[in-house]
Amino acid sequence: MATAFETPAALPTLDNSEIARYSRHLILPEVGMEGQQKLKAAKVLCVGTGGLGAPLTYYLAAAGVGTIGLVDFDVVDESNLQRQIIHSTKDVGRPKIESAAEKLTALNPNVKIVKHETMLTSANALDIIKDYDIVADGTDNFPTRYLVNDACVLTGKPNAYGSIFRFEGQASVFATEEGPCYRCLYPEPPPPGLVPSCAEGGVLGILPGLVGVIQATEVIKLILGKGDPLIGRLLLVDSLSMNFRTLKLRKNPDCPVCGKNPTVTELIDYQQFCGIVPEAKVEIVNERPTQNGIPQISATELKQKLDAKEEVFVLDVREPFEYQIANFGGHLIPLGELGARMDELTREAEIVVHCKMGGRSQKACELLSANGFKHITNLSGGITAWSNDVDPSVPKY
Ligand code: ZN
């Protein structure tokens, strides 16, 4: 049986309306009046109000968790709505935290919502987490995931973890006294760029629904002190084969943060730990913005050049399936094939390279430049900027 956190000695009482609202809980022997009072007394911090955070916070609010903290600094984008069901079409452009808080309060006005509209960082994590009993990690990137893990270990708060990738998900409960932490399982982050994000790799919209609900279930069990939480177990969800497997996890005695002789005793620089280097600064060279020696061009400037019939060769280095979704007629050579297909390009020509957002095309420009191509320019902001600033009929994805 899990020891989740100290239940306050004096539990808050429920009024008649709360008794009516939670009646299906109250008649469960495993919850009952005391369990519902424990839920009311509990404070849970949900990091992220995106794919995982949407179902997670919705069900925690419905269940009557008394205080729910939200951490998010992002804004609702149209591409979020396929899975982040706490946000609606009318919320596009609004801060996610505002949109989420509104929905949660509408569902259950008894719940106190605490908004932390900030990015969780090494500077603020311990201070934010200290006021909560349990943390639920709904983040989508490795630096924040390691940060949440380490902050939970250092403050002794259980971490209801979930993560998703395309059709597969994982869930566990980390950082308890008796169980392992995320670093026991993954001591080192994957090399940057190896695991694509949802924006790069895609994700089945339903998957975070499945995994977020599992996280909510674990949080409720920890609060009630009932059942067998996923402590020391990693649940693997494969939505394509619809298989659920659990792997046994052991606490690693040599774990750098929760082991016998920890080397991580305070929060570190997680961007650096995950090998993420800040993007090269844009400087002005010959009156043109330049990054790593590669001149940058805006979508509007490119349009002017094309309209003026200047000899510009547009090279698109995205994948063929992206080209199918949206293109504006560039010559397609995916970045991974560029090294082998340079003979399709003229070394003296003026070439403008683009991708979705401008990152892959910058790499392509650097590769071409290193191979003797003279007039290489990167389209800043990629086809997304083209859609925003030149031709809105080109869909954004
Ligand atoms: Zn550990």
Side-chain angles (χ1 to χ4, degrees), residues 150-174:
D150 292 1
C152 284
V153 173
L154 294 175
T155 53
K157 314 280 182 180
N159 172 12
Y161 153 82
S163 73
I164 48 170
F165 180 67
R166 293 185 172 159
F167 295 95
E168 294 170 20
Q170 300 185 344
S172 189
V173 173
F174 292 126

Side-chain angles (χ1 to χ4, degrees), residues 235-254:
L235 176 68
L236 301 174
V237 178
D238 181 342
S239 65
L240 276 185
S241 63
M242 204 45 93
N243 273 314
F244 288 64
R245 293 190 299 143
T246 44
L247 304 178
K248 265 203 155 23
L249 301 179
R250 277 179 217 293
K251 201 173 166 106
N252 173 10
D254 300 322

